[in-house]
Amino acid sequence: MDIQTISKGPFEGQKPGTSGLRKKTRVFMEPGYLECFVQATFNAIGGAEGKTFVMGGDGRYFNRPAIQTMLRMAAANGAAKVIVGQGGLLSTPAVSNLIRQRSTDGGFVLSASHNPGGIDADFGVKYNVANGGPAPENITQAMFEQTQSIAAYYTLDTADIDLSAVGTATVGPMTVEIVDPVTDYQALMETLFDFGKIRALFEGGFTMRFDAMHAVTGPYATAILEETLGAPAGTVINAVPSEDFGKGHPDPNPVWAKTLMDEMMSDTAPDFGAASDGDGDRNMIVGRGIYVTPSDSLAVLAANAQLAPGYTGGLSGVARSMPTSAAADKVAEHLGLAAFETPTGWKFFGNLLDAGKVTLCGEESAGTGSDHVREKDGLWAVLLWLNVLAERDQSVAEILTDHWGRYGRNYYSRHDYEAVPTEAANALMDGLRGRLDALAGTAAGGLDITGADEFSYHDPVDGSVSHNQGLRIWFAGEARAVLRLSGTGTEGATLRVYLEQYAAPGADHGLSPDVALEKVRDAVVELTEMQAHIGRTEPDVKT
Ligand code: G1P
Ligand code: ZN
């Protein structure tokens, strides 16, 4: 075994509280950088001796060499076995599933999610624990502490192994099992959904476009939608993972999946459109002529999940992140289900899922999932929609209209202000924070303010408390604004403003979101003194 000492000084990069590391690819490629993060992770979990891990990534630039490095390090750290996806590929939900199915000690996902890939773009590594979910806070804290003091890592001087074929190999004394990335994941999907019903839907002429965005869901969607469910060839587009995602952002929203959006809004639109991100955990759902916001998608799935075999017993509860719209709460209220509001970030759903308190959960940022794994799952959401469409025999537009008629419509939009100078963003947030207590009873943007606070989460399972999770302002007429700073941005600060306006059943559900949300938007601009702080009031991206 080789012990490499690090001479370039203390490793920096990991932020406290994150289960992974996302950086420029060239930074990850600096000698010792990836190695230090991986060694810090092994150290933080009490070593790798005798353990089994899952490993795979989204196919972006540096995926394959990074896996070879990590395999050598796992072997040098005494791991017994690593299960790797063929070609180094595994989606995030597939890693979560393999960890659970094979009862491994944990797993590594190599991805920077929806960020672009390439030598001049982004790379990332995250660590998931034995329940299949992102590392919880005690481990991320230990990882952070390790990265601050690490001075050596362990590796072997061995050749790369061939990951191109399914089978077994060895790295030093360690076994490597190379698995088809799709098989176990597809088997899980077949237990949850009525594949026969969905096949019949396609046989009946139902048309669909799935945009894999040159990322990891290409092989999954092709195998499941085309080869198993009988959707015609060409249903899945951009299906071959490429190292730079075809030079695009593998981010499934109306901005980055514009080609798909344009097709879905055209005269020749198929019945159903969907897309997933780099590592396959996010989803976008769009019907012919109608975009479904992730918040609405969660609510529709919560209201209809029992139509799919995996959920016939009903749901134990529904959870959403705080900035996500209250559409899912309306469904929970009607169905008498428990509803939970968690901070932004998937890791907060883990305890609720493990404790059986919720079956479905989701975020406004295009993440939806259930207790089948411990990550959000893009293709799962698409298959649940397909199962619902097959059972209800209605279009996406009809299902949404019907849903709003029953539960009301939560108009919703997120406005992102990117690359804001950090001090300016902090000053804007601090300014508002300082006035929160005085806001109730005043008015802004022509709306009466009924309350305001800073969100703290009390985990009902382990009793832990997470503070500073976003500023919330409520207005008369069931409107709400939320402000928080992104934890995943790479340049300056990203200010996220989440706008919501409820329209009860029977109210006008045909407005454009911009019109419905105008007053709330104006209120935020006024209350934050946005122009004075950041020199603009128009966001870079609206989703
Ligand atoms: C963003 C999303 C959040 C998601 C996270 C990881 O975080 O808003 O919902 O869990 O990416 O995919 P943010 O940049 O807002 O901190
Ligand atoms: Zn992702």
Side-chain angles (χ1 to χ4, degrees):
M1 188 211 311
D2 283 355
I3 302 176
Q4 305 276 345
T5 49
I6 301 137
S7 54
K8 66 181 177 58
F11 168 89
E12 280 176 21
Q14 172 73 353
K15 281 187 248 168
T18 51
S19 59
L21 183 60
R22 216 180 272 184
K23 285 277 162 191
K24 289 290 165 208
T25 311
R26 286 188 195 272
V27 174
F28 259 107
M29 291 169 72
E30 282 167 17
Y33 191 91
L34 168 72
E35 289 87 340
C36 287
F37 179 68
V38 173
Q39 188 63 52
T41 306
F42 285 143
N43 295 351
I45 60 169
E49 190 68 43
K51 292 183 178 171
T52 298
F53 299 101
V54 177
M55 219 180 259
D58 63 9
R60 68 181 59 225
Y61 187 88
F62 197 50
N63 190 56
R64 287 165 191 250
I67 285 188
Q68 299 287 353
T69 299
M70 290 164 66
L71 286 173
R72 281 190 278 269
M73 289 186 63
N77 277 274
K81 182 176 177 179
V82 174
I83 301 166
V84 190
Q86 186 183 2
L89 292 180
L90 279 174
S91 74
T92 288
V95 167
S96 186
N97 180 47
L98 275 172
I99 292 172
R100 296 165 64 80
Q101 297 287 331
R102 305 291 202 88
S103 305
T104 75
D105 296 280
F108 291 88
V109 181
L110 293 81
S111 173
S113 190
H114 48 287
N115 289 17
I119 190 165
D120 290 313
D122 296 341
F123 191 78
V125 177
K126 56 185 173 175
Y127 183 71
N128 283 23
V129 292
N131 78 344
E137 221 137 287
N138 59 331
I139 293 184
T140 59
Q141 187 54 33
M143 281 160 72
F144 173 70
E145 280 158 19
Q146 285 292 333
T147 58
Q148 300 309 294
S149 59
I150 193 154
Y153 64 87
Y154 301 108
T155 188
L156 297 183
D157 190 11
T158 53
D160 285 359
I161 59 166
D162 181 9
L163 295 176
S164 66
V166 167
T168 53
T170 53
V171 174
M174 183 183 81
T175 305
V176 179
E177 182 185 346
I178 303 152
V179 298
D180 180 274
V182 181
T183 308
D184 291 70
Y185 178 81
Q186 177 165 341
L188 174 66
M189 294 300 113
E190 290 184 24
T191 67
L192 299 175
F193 304 119
D194 188 339
F195 271 41
K197 260 264 158 68
I198 304 175
R199 199 177 297 120
L201 180 72
F202 283 117
E203 270 164 17
F206 179 88
T207 53
M208 168 176 186
R209 194 77 63 227
F210 180 91
D211 189 347
M213 307 191 86
H214 307 275
V216 80
T217 48
Y220 293 85
T222 306
I224 295 173
L225 298 175
E226 295 187 3
E227 289 159 16
T228 306
L229 293 170
T235 296
V236 182
I237 56 169
N238 302 320
V240 179
S242 81
E243 291 196 330
D244 63 357
F245 307 115
K247 306 216 183 307
H249 281 236
D251 192 356
N253 64 42
V255 178
W256 292 111
K258 186 167 183 312
T259 319
L260 175 67
M261 277 302 282
D262 288 348
E263 184 183 11
M264 295 308 298
M265 298 302 144
S266 76
D267 293 342
T268 54
D271 295 304
F272 185 56
S276 190
D277 73 330
D279 60 328
D281 57 0
R282 293 187 176 199
N283 73 89
M284 178 173 96
I285 300 294
V286 50
R288 178 184 289 143
I290 189 164
Y291 168 68
V292 184
T293 68
S295 295
D296 275 350
S297 178
L298 175 65
V300 168
L301 294 181
N304 292 279
Q306 75 289 345
L307 297 174
Y311 307 95
T312 41
L315 310 177
S316 59
V318 185
R320 63 167 173 85
S321 69
M322 182 276 282
T324 303
S325 94
D329 302 23
K330 302 282 177 193
V331 174
E333 213 175 285
H334 268 73
L335 300 181
L337 300 173
F340 297 86
E341 189 175 35
T342 58
T344 295
W346 203 261
K347 66 179 176 198
F348 292 99
F349 294 133
N351 277 347
L352 297 171
L353 292 165
D354 281 348
K357 287 184 178 294
V358 304
T359 310
L360 244 59
C361 46
E363 295 193 274
E364 51 67 39
S365 55
T368 329
S370 86
D371 57 1
H372 68 292
V373 286
R374 290 296 179 275
E375 288 278 3
K376 52 198 172 207
D377 188 343
L379 206 45
W380 166 89
V382 174
L383 290 166
L384 181 48
W385 262 97
L386 282 171
N387 204 144
V388 169
L389 288 163
E391 287 289 345
R392 288 189 51 167
D393 198 24
Q394 285 175 305
S395 70
V396 173
E398 284 164 347
I399 287 176
L400 262 189
T401 308
D402 181 71
H403 187 94
W404 294 334
R406 186 176 311 213
Y407 304 101
R409 176 174 183 181
N410 293 73
Y411 286 103
Y412 187 84
S413 188
R414 185 178 95 185
H415 292 190
D416 292 334
Y417 298 81
E418 294 173 347
V420 177
T422 308
E423 300 88 85
N426 287 337
L428 181 149
M429 291 294 283
D430 289 343
L432 184 59
R433 187 177 282 120
R435 278 178 289 124
L436 280 181
D437 290 344
L439 289 182
T442 67
L447 293 173
D448 292 328
I449 299 173
T450 55
D453 76 357
E454 180 154 29
F455 180 53
S456 290
Y457 179 59
H458 299 253
D459 189 306
V461 180
D462 66 17
S464 63
V465 183
S466 307
H467 293 294
N468 306 333
Q469 298 297 327
L471 307 180
R472 312 189 279 190
I473 306 161
W474 292 274
F475 304 91
E478 282 199 59
R480 183 185 76 155
V482 172
L483 287 94
R484 56 180 286 280
L485 298 181
S486 158
T488 63
T490 45
E491 198 193 340
T494 296
L495 169 68
R496 301 205 198 282
V497 179
Y498 309 80
L499 308 170
E500 180 174 359
Q501 172 68 63
Y502 182 61
D508 187 354
H509 296 152
L511 301 175
S512 86
D514 272 351
V515 170
L517 297 166
E518 204 175 355
K519 285 187 176 163
V520 195
R521 202 277 318 263
D522 289 349
V524 169
V525 168
E526 182 184 324
L527 289 168
T528 57
E529 296 167 357
M530 191 180 283
Q531 181 68 37
H533 279 295
I534 66 170
R536 58 182 163 133
T537 59
E538 279 305 309
D540 299 283
V541 183
K542 287 185 192 180
T543 49

